[in-house]
Structure formats: C-alpha cells, structure tokens
C-alpha cells in the first residue's frame, strides 16, 4: 500500500507540469535519492562532558534535547511535573494525567546548563526526540504534536514547528504552530534535525513497525513530503532516542541502574549506527561515559556543530537523567571523533 503522496513540480519552457507521485514502503533506501556521504562517529572514542547535574524547569526526567548552534543554546524536553495548575485548568493536574495527555515542559539552557527560559506544551506527546532549526537567528523547535493516548502515555501523531517564546503555553491548536503530516496513517512520530546537511529525520510507526524517514528540510517546510531515504528500525533494547548526521543514523538504548540488567557503573547504554543508504547496522558499542552519575538513565541523542563554518566537525551528544525524584537533573556528554566507514568494525 502506498503511504507517501506528494507533488513534484517539473519545469519546462513557458509551463509547469505538476505530476503526482507515490512512494511505497517496499522500495529500499538504496533505490531512492541518496543521502549525503559522510564519515561516521567513532563510538569507541573517549567521552567528554558539556555539563553535569543541571536543573530543568521541572524535576521530571529529561526525554530529549536539541542544539541551537547559531545562538549557543540547548533545549530540553521533559514530561510536565504533577501538581501544576495552568491557566484554564480547574485544579492542579497529576503527573499521571499529564503523561497520558502528552503534556510537556521545554527548558532553554545556555551551554553551561544555566536555565534561560521555558515553555509548556499541552497535548504534544512523549518528547522522545526533538530538533532545532535556526532561521535568520530565530530558533524554531521541531517536535511531535497531536498526542494520542496509548497505555499510560500520550504519543505524537504528526510534527510541529514553532518559535521559542519564553513562559508561554502552546496547544496543538495554537496559531504559532506549523504542522506537518509527512506520512498518512503513521503514529509515534518524533523528529531530529541534521542542521549540517539540512535534513529532517522522522521516526514513525506504521502497521506496528518503526521506521526512520529522511527528508529535505526545505521540502518539508514547503509541503513536499518525499523521503530521500527510509530504513526500518533494527532490534534494540529500551529505545531512548535518535539523531542523524549525513549518511548515518544513531540510535540510543538503555536503562537506569537497577533496571533491565543495567548494573553500575557500566550500565547498558548502547549506541547503534545504521547506514541510511542501505539500512544496514554498521556499528554498535556500549557507551560508558558518565559512570559516576546517580540513576544514570540514557535520555536522548543530539548533534551539535560548535563552529557553523565547519559543519563537518560535528559532535554526537548523549543525554542522561540523574539524581532522584522529584529533582531529576540533566547531563550531556559527547564524542567528537569521526572516521571513514571503511575503518568501522562491527
């Protein structure tokens, strides 16, 4: 069954012909337009620390994060804490209800982890992953939205783009949201922005199977939803986030100490690398950074480009939640060594 439908504009002298095209899930990633070739992060490289044990606007576990490389800021998503009463609500709302409704808190930090602002996002989802796009100096948040309850949590069903506005509350119906339904019938939609290559990667579920679709960011903003690659998620442990950079997709899995076989100080946080050109797993390594953290639950991956004049010198970040309820804290660590795919040994 075809699930992508878009319009491709074909220009000729004196006229424009619009052709409707359909793409099927059965077409392998290698048969489509290729993603940019790039080196791959060396997962065995030593980890460095950006910041440790920093407080967010709420004391819940962070879910994901993204970087504004132009202005030097970090944005972190988390589930909204219980006990908060927002304007228009009759009483304080429990944490369980917030989670079921898909209510999120977004915190803005500087690169030292100091809090600069926040937003509340009601009815958006679980905050599994997010992205940042900076246009003309203005940061735009990319996230899931239009949350639908499944189990005890709410999960997004399409994507949203909106500017950061300190101390404001958004809902899926807010005027500032630009919404995109990239794939009809998909749910569990989450997003990452590869700013170095101007690409958007969406994780989504169709017929019970998780996929990652890669799109031109400019095309998405113009309403053209034709992927340049699509790969199926490989078998993983507890999924905790993703990020793409060039021709590679990075997947995070793992648990807090004491859960599902995660034992201090090593833990069970793994990063898996998938080649977006053919869907093959090319590397998988245990990530041992941040071993001294308490709790230490992996939460989110992100790509930072410290110097936008050199986009090939990117850094791969791993997020961890630390400390204890109700005062969970945020931690970001990274690796910054890249190598050719030919030097990667499975």
């Amino acid at each position: 069954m075809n699930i992508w439908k878009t319009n491709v504009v074909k220009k000729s002298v004196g006229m424009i012909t619009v052709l409707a095209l359909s793409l099927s899930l059965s077409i392998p990633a290698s048969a489509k337009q290729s993603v940019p070739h790039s080196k791959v992060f060396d997962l065995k490289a030593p980890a460095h620390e950006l910041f440790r044990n920093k407080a967010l606007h709420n004391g819940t576990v962070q879910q994901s994060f993204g970087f504004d490389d132009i202005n030097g800021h970090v944005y972190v998503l988390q589930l909204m804490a219980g006990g908060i009463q927002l304007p228009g609500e009759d009483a304080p709302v429990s944490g369980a209800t917030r989670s079921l409704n898909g209510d999120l808190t977004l915190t803005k930090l500087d690169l030292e982890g100091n809090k600069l602002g926040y937003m509340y996002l009601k009815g958006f989802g679980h905050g599994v992953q997010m992205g940042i796009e900076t246009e003309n100096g203005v940061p735009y948040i990319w996230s899931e939205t239009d949350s639908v309850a499944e189990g005890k949590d709410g999960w997004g069903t399409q994507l949203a783009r909106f500017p950061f506005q300190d101390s404001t509350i958004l809902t899926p119906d807010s005027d500032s949201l630009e919404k995109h339904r990239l794939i009809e019938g998909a749910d569990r939609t989450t997003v990452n922005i590869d700013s170095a290559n101007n690409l958007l990667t969406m994780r989504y579920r169709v017929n019970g199977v998780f996929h990652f679709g890669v799109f031109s960011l400019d095309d998405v903003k113009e309403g053209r939803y034709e992927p340049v690659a699509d790969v199926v998620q490989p078998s993983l442990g507890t999924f905790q986030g993703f990020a793409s950079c060039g021709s590679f997709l990075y997947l995070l899995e793992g648990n807090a100490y004491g859960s599902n076989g995660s034992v201090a100080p090593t833990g069970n946080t793994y990063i898996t690398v998938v080649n977006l050109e053919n869907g093959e797993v090319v590397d998988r390594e245990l990530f041992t950074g941040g071993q001294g953290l308490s709790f230490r639950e992996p939460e989110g991956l992100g790509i930072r480009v410290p110097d936008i004049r050199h986009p090939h010198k990117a850094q791969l970040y791993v997020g961890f939640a630390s400390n204890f309820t109700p005062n969970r804290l945020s931690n970001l660590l990274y690796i910054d060594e890249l190598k050719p795919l030919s030097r990667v040994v499975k």
Side-chain angles (χ1 to χ4, degrees):
M1 178 181 67
N2 290 334
I3 62 171
W4 286 300
K5 293 184 179 178
T6 186
N7 291 328
V8 176
V9 179
K10 183 179 291 184
K11 295 183 179 180
S12 60
V13 177
M15 67 179 296
I16 298 177
T17 303
V18 179
L19 301 177
L21 297 181
S22 296
L23 284 171
S24 169
L25 276 176
S26 62
I27 301 176
S30 58
K32 303 170 186 175
Q33 177 184 343
S34 178
V35 291
H37 290 286
S38 66
K39 292 183 178 180
V40 61
F41 282 102
D42 184 353
L43 301 183
K44 295 182 179 179
H48 309 282
E49 186 177 283
L50 182 66
F51 57 68
R52 172 186 288 254
N53 291 331
K54 296 298 182 178
L56 303 175
H57 188 66
N58 285 176
T60 54
V61 168
Q62 72 175 50
Q63 295 293 317
S64 59
F65 58 92
F67 289 97
D68 173 359
D69 294 321
I70 304 299
N71 298 301
H73 297 140
V74 188
Y75 293 84
V76 182
L77 272 178
Q78 58 189 144
L79 297 177
M80 195 183 301
I84 296 173
Q85 182 178 355
L86 299 179
E89 296 175 345
D90 296 332
V93 179
S94 70
T97 299
R98 292 292 187 195
S99 183
L100 185 67
N101 292 341
D103 295 345
L104 303 174
T105 299
L106 177 68
T107 305
K108 178 181 179 179
L109 307 168
D110 64 20
L111 294 178
E112 295 180 348
N114 300 306
K115 178 184 163 187
L116 303 177
Y118 73 95
M119 295 178 71
Y120 286 128
L121 312 176
K122 294 183 63 177
F124 275 58
H126 199 68
V128 174
Q129 195 60 57
M130 64 176 295
I132 306 294
E133 174 202 359
T134 309
E135 183 176 73
N136 298 321
V138 178
Y140 287 87
I141 312 300
W142 283 88
S143 75
E144 63 194 283
T145 190
D146 286 36
S147 181
V148 172
E150 181 180 331
K152 297 180 179 180
D153 300 294
W155 308 88
T157 56
Q158 58 178 318
L159 302 184
R161 176 184 186 262
F162 57 91
F164 179 82
Q165 297 173 297
D166 189 24
S167 304
T168 59
I169 302 169
L170 296 184
T171 71
D173 297 323
S174 295
D175 291 339
S176 62
L177 260 66
E178 173 189 304
K179 296 202 287 188
H180 297 271
R181 189 178 298 279
L182 273 62
I183 297 173
E184 292 295 333
D187 63 6
R188 294 290 192 100
T189 54
T190 51
V191 63
N192 168 255
I193 301 297
D194 177 357
S195 60
N197 297 285
N198 201 40
L199 296 173
L200 177 151
T201 302
M202 181 177 74
R203 181 180 187 249
Y204 66 95
R205 186 178 65 178
V206 169
N207 297 326
V209 178
F210 281 102
H211 293 249
F212 295 86
V214 183
F215 302 79
S216 159
L217 180 57
D218 289 339
D219 282 354
V220 169
K221 291 193 293 182
E222 293 176 7
R224 299 192 299 270
Y225 303 147
E226 181 179 349
V228 300
D230 186 89
V231 298
V232 174
Q233 178 177 299
S235 178
L236 300 171
T238 303
F239 184 83
Q240 297 286 13
F242 72 95
S244 65
C245 187
S247 48
F248 297 99
L249 173 69
Y250 300 87
L251 308 176
L252 182 68
E253 64 181 277
N255 303 92
Y257 290 148
S259 176
N260 289 347
S262 177
V263 179
T266 305
N268 66 351
T269 297
Y270 283 87
I271 300 175
T272 297
V273 185
V274 177
N275 188 337
L276 286 168
E277 296 185 74
N278 54 28
E280 293 183 357
V281 172
V282 298
D283 200 4
R284 182 176 183 269
E285 298 291 342
L286 180 71
F287 185 84
T288 58
Q291 289 187 355
L293 296 173
S294 61
F295 187 66
R296 193 181 178 268
E297 182 175 15
E299 295 285 358
L301 284 178
I303 302 293
R304 180 185 170 214
V305 182
D307 187 343
I308 60 174
R309 296 170 300 179
H310 303 286
H312 60 287
K313 295 183 178 180
Q315 299 171 337
L316 175 64
Y317 278 76
V318 183
F320 285 97
S322 63
N323 210 39
F324 303 97
T325 302
N327 297 306
R328 300 294 190 191
L329 300 174
S330 175
N331 305 265
L332 293 184
L333 298 95
Y334 67 94
I335 53 178
D336 58 1
E337 296 182 23
L338 292 136
K339 59 186 179 182
L341 179 60
S342 60
R343 289 177 51 200
V344 175
V345 178
K346 291 185 181 179

